[in-house]
């Protein structure tokens, strides 16, 4: 059974008696272990009757120490086992077989260091990239890297914020990146040294505790009473002040347009003071993501599998994929036309379709954009220059929202796309960027301002005329609570309200604020100061989830699948980054299909039934995540 025990030795005989005794200690007993104790006794007996040199004595002492070291670690037994196994299996790659055997016995890899560097993302903005080094089988190796943009990776471009204050995102990003690199170099890399990268919960807890400590230190260093500072800002700055909306005079034409609630002056709710970004916070999110990707590589599994195991430790017998959403048209403030209201027009398939079927339909987005360009060349539309946004959406200048929606409707009809049934529209209004605080109204078109009530009427008219619109994203500022409530009551049976900028994201040290009334879905963004555990926890707090990807690699798709979100907002159909995300989603579907664990989402209830459920007080039932 053990052929190696009786194999002849190929060692050369030694002329020294002491070395002859050394060969005797390799005699194998019936249990398969060397008779080290017998050898030691023979050696001591030999020393008592013979004279040996000091060199030979030191040599044998060293060999005995080596034998004891190997025996205490079980090396002789393991070597015997693998040699006997390999003898019977006779693998083609002998050393590969040995390498695989002993690699399974090696110590768990641990983090040795983390290196950060400044890079540029797909939009040309500064970002931070981290590389994770681990000790793997006594060698330091770089395992993987991750990239994340700074704190201004989401909602607003350079210009004027909600409060009316001018800001520059590039300056904010550079300051955050510089501080984040210092955090990684001086604090996080030494703190995480020796950590097991597969223990995501412990790593994220350390990152969160460090971030909280930095925040408290930063807060203590501000020798200013924040309440006095907010009070001074509210008095000195005009936009945050409560601005009265003047009642229309009776002698002007169109005075009856303000019939809803304009008999008395209303106070415009002031914009909430934006929460300050802690410089360096980007280090928390990018290190957490890099460690998660490292763990997935070391475990030999996809990232979405690792995220799933962090969220649900038990093995999953069925996994679901999110429904993809594609941005096909943009007519917001950055477009050349007068129209500001339609920041994004998003095409989304029915949630009951399989991912591949949905992407086959959405894949026609290329043809849809070409068809829209062809239609625009006709005489029916008076549009400005046609270009593409950085996300790959068609950007056209229109004067009225009906023009943009008519264009999509006509193009879909020409291509026989099932708009309104298998395909639906979501409109991102981005109303937080349209408020003219000097007038107390929304500038939905250049030179055309709408009061809150007029905007409600406008939304109602658009949804009645275009029933394919089933989602409105940020139709008002988050402070306009009454208008959210009224709009939900007017269009709730045919359309759902989604909060993006109005979702009231709060850091871990702030109190959670309620969502605007009538909100049925929320866009959760993977903020730069969120760990993977923070993201999973935020999603788990909601009944149903969605995700919207920003600039970055395709790992956001794995986060969406592993987190169990319901919708994935991927942007347009242009650019390498965007297409990588679509391709990654298809690859994951193929993997799950081959494993037989791809589950189909249940068909959603009709929107009329959904609104009844919402009116019964069930609250927000969906979340969209975005980087």
């Amino acid at each position: 059974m053990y052929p190696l025990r009786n194999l002849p030795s190929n060692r050369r005989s030694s002329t020294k008696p002491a070395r002859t005794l050394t060969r005797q200690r390799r005699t194998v007993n019936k249990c398969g272990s060397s008779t080290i104790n017998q050898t030691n006794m023979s050696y001591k007996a030999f020393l008592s009757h013979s004279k040996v040199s000091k060199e030979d004595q030191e040599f044998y002492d060293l060999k005995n120490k080596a034998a004891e070291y190997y025996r205490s670690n079980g090396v002789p037994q393991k070597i015997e086992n693998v040699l006997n196994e390999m003898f019977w299996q006779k693998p083609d790659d002998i050393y590969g077989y040995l390498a695989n055997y002993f690699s399974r016995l090696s110590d768990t890899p641990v983090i040795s260091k983390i290196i950060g560097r400044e890079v540029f993302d797909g939009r040309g903005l500064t970002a931070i990239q981290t590389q994770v080094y681990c000790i793997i089988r006594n060698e330091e190796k770089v395992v993987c890297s991750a990239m994340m943009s700074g704190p201004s990776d989401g909602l607003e471009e350079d210009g004027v914020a909600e409060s009316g204050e001018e800001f520059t995102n590039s300056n904010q990003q550079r300051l955050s990146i510089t501080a984040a690199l210092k955090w990684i170099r001086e604090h996080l890399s030494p703190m995480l040294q020796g950590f097991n990268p597969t223990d995501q919960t412990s790593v994220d807890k350390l990152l969160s505790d460090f971030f909280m400590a930095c925040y408290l230190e930063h807060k203590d260093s501000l020798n200013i009473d924040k309440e006095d500072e907010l009070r001074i800002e509210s008095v000195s700055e005009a936009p945050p002040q409560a601005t009265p909306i003047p009642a229309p005079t009776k002698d002007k034409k169109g005075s009856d347009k303000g019939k809803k609630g304009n008999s008395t002056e209303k106070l415009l709710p002031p914009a909430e003071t934006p929460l300050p970004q802690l410089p360096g916070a980007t280090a928390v999110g990018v290190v957490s993501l890099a460690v998660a990707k490292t763990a997935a590589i070391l475990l030999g599994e996809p990232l979405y599998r690792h995220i799933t195991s962090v969220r649900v430790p038990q093995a999953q017998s069925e996994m679901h994929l999110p429904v993809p959403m594609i941005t096909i048209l943009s007519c917001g403030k950055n477009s050349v036309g007068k129209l500001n209201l339609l920041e994004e027009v998003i095409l989304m398939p029915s949630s009951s379709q399989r991912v591949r079927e949905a992407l086959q339909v959405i894949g026609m987005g290329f043809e849809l954009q070409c068809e829209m360009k062809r239609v625009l060349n006709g005489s029916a539309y008076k549009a400005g220059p046609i270009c593409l946004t950085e996300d790959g959406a068609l950007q056209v200048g229109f004067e009225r929202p009906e023009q943009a929606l008519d264009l999509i409707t006509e193009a879909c009809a020409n291509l026989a796309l099932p708009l309104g049934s298998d395909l639906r529209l979501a409109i991102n209004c981005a109303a937080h960027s349209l408020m003219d605080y000097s007038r107390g109204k929304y500038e939905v078109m250049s030179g055309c301002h709408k009061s809150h009530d007029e905007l409600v009427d406008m939304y109602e008219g658009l949804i009645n005329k275009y029933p394919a619109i089933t989602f409105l994203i940020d139709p008002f500022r988050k402070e306009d609570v009454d208008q959210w409530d009224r709009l939900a009551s007017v269009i709730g049976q045919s359309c759902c309200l989604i909060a993006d900028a109005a979702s009231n994201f709060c850091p871990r040290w702030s109190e959670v604020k309620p969502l605007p009334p009538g909100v049925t879905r929320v866009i959760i963004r993977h903020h730069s100061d969120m760990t993977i555990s923070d993201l999973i926890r935020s999603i788990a707090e909601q009944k149903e989830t969605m995700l919207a990807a920003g600039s970055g690699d395709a790992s956001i798709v794995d986060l969406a699948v592993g987190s169990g979100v319901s919708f994935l907002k991927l942007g347009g159909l242009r650019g390498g980054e965007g297409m990588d995300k679509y391709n990654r989603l298809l690859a994951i579907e193929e993997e799950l299909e081959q494993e037989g664990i791809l589950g189909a989402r249940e068909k959603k209830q009709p929107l009329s039934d959904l609104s009844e459920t919402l009116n019964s007080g069930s609250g927000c039932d969906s979340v969209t995540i975005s980087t």
Side-chain angles (χ1 to χ4, degrees):
M1 182 176 181
Y2 298 98
L4 294 178
R5 292 181 180 175
N6 300 321
L7 292 179
S9 174
N10 292 327
R11 292 187 176 183
R12 295 181 179 179
S13 61
S14 174
T15 58
K16 295 183 179 181
R19 296 189 177 180
T20 302
L21 292 175
T22 302
R23 289 197 299 270
Q24 294 177 1
R25 76 175 182 77
R26 295 188 177 274
T27 302
V28 180
N29 59 19
K30 294 182 179 180
C31 297
S33 61
S34 300
T35 57
I36 296 177
N37 293 333
Q38 183 178 355
T39 303
N40 292 337
M41 294 176 61
S42 300
Y43 175 63
K44 291 179 180 179
F46 173 79
L47 290 179
S48 63
H49 297 87
S50 304
K51 292 183 179 180
V52 294
S53 65
K54 183 179 179 180
E55 180 182 356
D56 285 338
Q57 182 177 349
E58 292 178 351
F59 176 74
Y60 278 102
D61 289 340
L62 181 61
K63 294 192 73 173
N64 285 329
K65 290 180 180 179
E68 177 61 25
Y69 171 74
Y70 292 131
R71 184 190 65 79
S72 63
N73 288 280
V75 175
Q77 184 66 42
K78 290 182 174 63
I79 290 179
E80 180 182 349
N81 291 339
V82 67
L83 292 180
N84 282 295
E85 291 177 5
M86 189 169 62
F87 176 79
W88 296 112
Q89 295 187 16
K90 294 181 175 58
D92 294 333
D93 186 358
I94 294 178
Y95 297 104
Y97 185 94
L98 292 173
N100 292 334
Y101 178 86
F102 286 110
S103 65
R104 293 192 293 268
L105 302 176
S106 61
D107 290 339
T108 301
V110 295
I111 298 174
S112 59
K113 64 181 178 182
I114 298 177
I115 294 179
R117 61 173 54 92
E118 182 178 348
V119 295
F120 294 94
D121 62 13
R123 300 169 296 176
L125 300 177
T126 55
I128 185 170
Q129 182 188 59
T130 57
Q131 288 183 319
V132 179
Y133 287 75
C134 292
I135 299 297
I136 304 175
R137 295 186 286 278
N138 297 320
E139 293 183 1
E140 186 178 61
K141 300 179 180 180
V142 57
V143 181
C144 79
S145 63
M147 186 192 72
M148 185 172 288
S149 300
S152 56
D153 56 349
L155 304 180
E156 297 174 300
E157 302 291 339
D158 297 349
V160 181
E162 295 182 32
S163 60
E165 180 183 0
E166 295 185 1
F167 64 92
T168 305
N169 276 347
S170 58
N171 295 339
Q172 293 179 354
Q173 280 192 311
R174 186 166 296 277
L175 176 63
S176 178
I177 296 301
T178 302
L181 293 176
K182 183 178 180 181
W183 279 18
I184 294 174
R185 181 177 60 255
E186 298 181 1
H187 302 286
L188 297 182
S189 180
M191 290 169 61
L192 290 174
Q193 187 175 5
F195 264 73
N196 182 354
T198 62
D199 190 357
Q200 188 73 37
T201 303
S202 297
V203 171
D204 287 345
K205 185 179 185 306
L206 184 144
L207 294 174
S208 298
D209 292 344
F210 172 77
F211 185 40
M212 179 61 69
C214 291
Y215 165 74
L216 295 176
E217 181 181 356
H218 179 71
K219 181 179 179 181
D220 292 340
S221 65
L222 301 175
N223 299 319
I224 302 173
D225 189 346
K226 290 196 172 183
E227 292 183 0
D228 293 341
E229 183 180 357
L230 293 176
R231 191 179 303 111
I232 293 174
E233 290 181 357
S234 63
V235 174
S236 60
E237 296 182 5
Q241 291 180 346
T243 306
I245 301 177
T249 57
K250 294 182 179 180
D251 57 342
K252 291 184 178 181
K253 294 182 179 180
S255 60
D256 56 339
K257 292 183 180 180
K259 60 182 178 180
K260 296 186 179 181
N262 285 335
S263 59
T264 59
E265 290 187 353
K266 294 182 179 179
L267 294 180
L268 177 67
E272 293 184 5
T273 302
L275 294 172
Q277 289 284 349
L278 183 61
T282 309
V284 174
V286 71
V287 169
S288 179
L289 178 59
V291 170
K293 295 175 69 175
T294 298
I297 292 176
L298 294 177
L299 294 172
E301 62 184 13
L303 178 58
Y304 68 87
R305 283 281 197 180
H306 176 61
I307 300 300
T308 302
S309 65
V310 174
R311 178 173 62 94
V312 184
Q314 298 82 8
Q316 297 295 296
S317 59
E318 187 176 79
M319 294 186 66
H320 302 278
L321 293 183
V323 177
M325 304 165 64
I326 174 175
T327 303
I328 57 173
L329 187 63
S330 176
C331 304
K333 292 186 67 175
N334 293 329
S335 62
V336 295
K338 292 184 177 181
L339 182 61
N340 299 329
L341 186 62
L342 305 184
E343 179 65 28
E344 287 181 296
V345 181
I346 302 167
L347 190 68
M348 51 189 301
S350 171
S351 58
S352 61
Q353 290 180 298
R354 294 173 59 251
V355 174
R356 183 171 297 276
E357 294 172 351
L359 285 180
Q360 285 177 348
V361 177
I362 292 183
M364 297 187 67
F366 288 110
E367 297 183 23
L368 180 59
Q369 288 184 341
C370 294
E371 180 64 19
M372 286 192 291
K373 289 181 181 180
R374 189 192 66 79
V375 174
L376 286 172
N377 291 329
S379 59
Y381 296 90
K382 297 180 180 179
I386 304 173
C387 55
L388 290 175
T389 65
E390 61 184 15
D391 293 331
L394 200 64
Q395 190 175 61
V396 185
F398 285 117
E399 296 185 356
R400 296 177 294 103
E402 290 83 0
Q403 292 175 309
L405 297 173
D406 286 340
L407 171 64
I408 296 175
T409 302
E410 181 177 349
C412 287
N414 294 343
L415 297 175
L417 293 178
L419 187 63
S421 55
D422 291 340
L423 292 177
R424 301 176 182 180
L425 296 179
I427 306 297
N428 184 4
C429 305
H432 60 280
S433 63
L434 304 181
M435 173 56 69
D436 185 344
Y437 286 90
S438 63
R439 297 173 177 264
K441 294 184 178 182
Y442 290 98
E443 190 174 10
V444 296
M445 293 167 280
S446 298
C448 178
H449 296 77
K450 296 285 186 180
S451 67
H452 297 73
D453 293 334
E454 290 172 342
L455 195 54
V456 170
D457 296 338
M458 183 177 184
Y459 289 138
E460 183 182 8
L462 289 175
I463 292 173
N464 290 335
K465 185 175 181 180
Y466 305 96
I469 301 176
T470 54
F471 298 96
L472 284 181
I473 304 174
D474 285 348
F476 294 102
R477 299 180 311 146
K478 57 186 173 184
E479 298 83 6
D480 301 327
V481 177
D482 294 340
Q483 281 68 37
W484 282 87
D485 192 15
R486 178 169 176 251
L487 180 61
S489 63
V490 170
I491 65 174
Q493 293 186 355
S494 56
C495 185
C496 297
L497 302 183
I498 301 177
D500 185 356
S503 61
N504 289 320
F505 168 76
C506 296
R508 58 180 59 86
W509 62 77
S510 301
E511 295 182 359
V512 178
K513 298 180 181 179
L515 293 169
V519 170
T520 59
R521 287 168 171 80
V522 177
I523 295 179
I524 293 180
R525 296 181 174 268
H526 187 195
H527 292 269
S528 57
D529 59 354
M530 292 178 69
T531 64
I532 297 298
S533 298
D534 291 335
L535 181 62
I536 293 175
R537 191 179 306 110
S538 299
I539 297 171
E541 292 173 354
Q542 308 295 334
K543 296 180 180 179
E544 191 178 273
T545 51
M546 306 167 77
L547 175 91
S551 178
D553 58 25
S555 60
I556 189 65
V557 178
D558 288 72
L559 292 181
V561 176
S563 301
V565 299
S566 302
F567 293 86
L568 182 59
K569 181 175 176 289
L570 290 171
L573 288 169
R574 302 283 180 175
E577 285 187 356
M579 297 312 300
D580 286 345
K581 296 180 178 69
Y582 284 103
N583 293 333
R584 178 57 183 157
L585 189 61
L586 284 172
I588 294 176
E589 186 200 30
E590 290 180 359
E591 292 176 10
L592 297 181
E593 273 189 334
Q594 292 175 359
E595 296 176 16
I597 60 174
L598 178 61
R601 293 193 178 274
E602 296 181 0
K603 188 174 181 63
K604 303 299 178 185
Q605 57 182 328
L607 287 174
S608 58
D609 297 340
L610 177 62
S611 70
E612 294 178 2
T613 304
L614 296 172
N615 293 333
S616 64
S618 61
C620 176
D621 71 340
S622 180
V623 179
T624 300
I625 309 174
S626 172
T627 54

